[in-house]
Amino acid sequence: MITRRTLVHTALGALAVGAAPSLSGASAKRRFKLKLAPHLGQFTAHAGAGVVDQLKFMADEGFTALEDNSMMQRPIAEQETIARTLEQLGMSLGVFVVAVGGNQNKLFTTGEKDNPKTFVKACQDAVAVAKRVNAKWMTVVPGVFTPRLPIGIQTANAIDVLRAGAEVFEREKLVMVLEPLADSPDLFLRTADQAYELCRAVNSPACKILFDMYHLQQNQGSIIASIDQTWSEIGYFQMGDVPGRLWPGTGEMNYGNIFKHAANKMRESGREFIFGMEHGPWKADKAGERACIESYVAIDAAL
């Protein structure tokens, strides 16, 4: 079975709710111009394992959002703690993954005839979590390419499934974002233009593109041109440098130019996005964590 990638080091640690420090007066040394969203587990060398402490560290460093792919798998008490802490810190919540059948690694495949019913149930479950944690965006990834079916048939099947899910989210003014991935050549959705085609066909404000630059650099390149071409259907951004999937400046991508272009388009269009930091450090190391943060400081200064 093809599995969806996740940030592998998302340690929950001890919540220690009763011992949590007062957050209402927390103030950041800086606030990044873009809504940058780290993951839990990304800065544990500095913040420790406690969720509240991690979120406070992010806010103190100037981050104004959080991503949590695994939100649907967390106990309700943990979800409520995260939501409450984000509100106290003035932070937003970015995407979490729509877990099909309670498993965020299970993808719906484009050829299965029972997909609409299965997917709709997963979307309904995601809505309940989104309301609890004050989320707006949910990640969705179509499954594997099916060699026995013509690509047009698979695309039509995917559209049917996504329309059924979009109806669920649209009623609640929520948005599913479709993510092309580079994890395997067997995956059905791999490029931004293909996601654009699906979104235009579904024709719903509840179905947009998750423009993950790490994956798209590998599958297609031309990131800035692709942003321009698919801009109207982009709902969310994620990033990581290539190769290595670490922070900007560690690989071949010119994130300074990419972010400057995106920021200019945002100003011109009046739109705002969360930028999910779906990359390493992959282990608790203060030097690596600080290098990650400072890479964004340098980019932010030039925006």
Side-chain angles (χ1 to χ4, degrees), residues 19 34 130 144 185 239 269 300 303:
L34 299 179
V144 296
M239 58 271 186
S269 64
D300 185 75
L303 293 180

Side-chain angles (χ1 to χ4, degrees), residues 279-299:
H279 54 66
W282 302 112
K283 63 180 181 179
D285 175 78
K286 283 192 173 182
E289 292 175 8
R290 182 52 58 189
C292 172
I293 293 168
E294 293 305 318
S295 74
Y296 286 105
V297 171
I299 290 172

Side-chain angles (χ1 to χ4, degrees), residues 207-226:
C207 183
K208 295 298 178 182
I209 301 169
L210 197 173
F211 198 100
D212 189 321
M213 294 177 267
Y214 166 78
H215 292 288
L216 293 176
Q217 173 70 8
Q218 296 174 82
N219 286 349
Q220 62 172 63
S222 299
I223 296 300
I224 288 176
S226 186

Side-chain angles (χ1 to χ4, degrees), residues 41-196:
Q42 215 158 25
F43 302 124
T44 54
H46 282 85
V51 168
V52 170
D53 288 339
Q54 290 184 61
L55 293 175
K56 186 172 186 303
F57 175 81
M58 294 174 192
D60 286 344
E61 290 293 329
F63 297 106
T64 55
L66 170 78
E67 271 194 356
D68 187 51
N69 286 338
S70 304
M71 184 65 78
M72 286 188 72
Q73 284 74 51
R74 295 186 187 278
I76 289 176
E78 293 175 355
Q79 295 174 0
E80 291 174 341
T81 295
I82 291 170
R84 182 171 59 251
T85 306
L86 290 174
E87 182 178 8
Q88 291 171 336
L89 292 169
M91 297 175 69
S92 303
L93 181 62
V95 291
F96 64 82
V97 177
V98 174
V100 180
N103 178 4
Q104 75 175 46
N105 289 328
K106 178 176 172 54
L107 310 177
F108 73 83
T109 54
T110 52
E112 294 179 0
K113 294 188 180 299
D114 65 342
N115 271 338
K117 181 178 178 182
T118 303
F119 186 57
V120 163
K121 175 61 168 63
C123 293
Q124 291 168 340
D125 293 342
V127 166
V129 175
K131 289 182 176 180
R132 187 177 301 122
V133 299
N134 194 29
K136 180 177 180 179
W137 300 273
M138 277 67 65
T139 303
V140 168
V141 182
V144 296
F145 176 80
T146 306
R148 63 181 176 80
L149 289 175
I151 187 63
I153 300 301
Q154 294 184 63
T155 299
N157 287 341
I159 292 168
D160 287 343
V161 175
L162 293 170
R163 279 179 176 165
E167 289 178 3
V168 174
F169 289 124
E170 189 170 343
R171 287 194 295 268
E172 305 294 339
K173 293 182 170 51
L174 301 176
V175 182
M176 62 179 177
V177 284
L178 313 183
E179 183 176 15
L181 297 178
D183 293 328
S184 166
D186 294 329
L187 287 167
F188 172 76
L189 183 58
R190 294 181 54 77
T191 62
D193 66 284
Q194 188 187 8
Y196 180 86

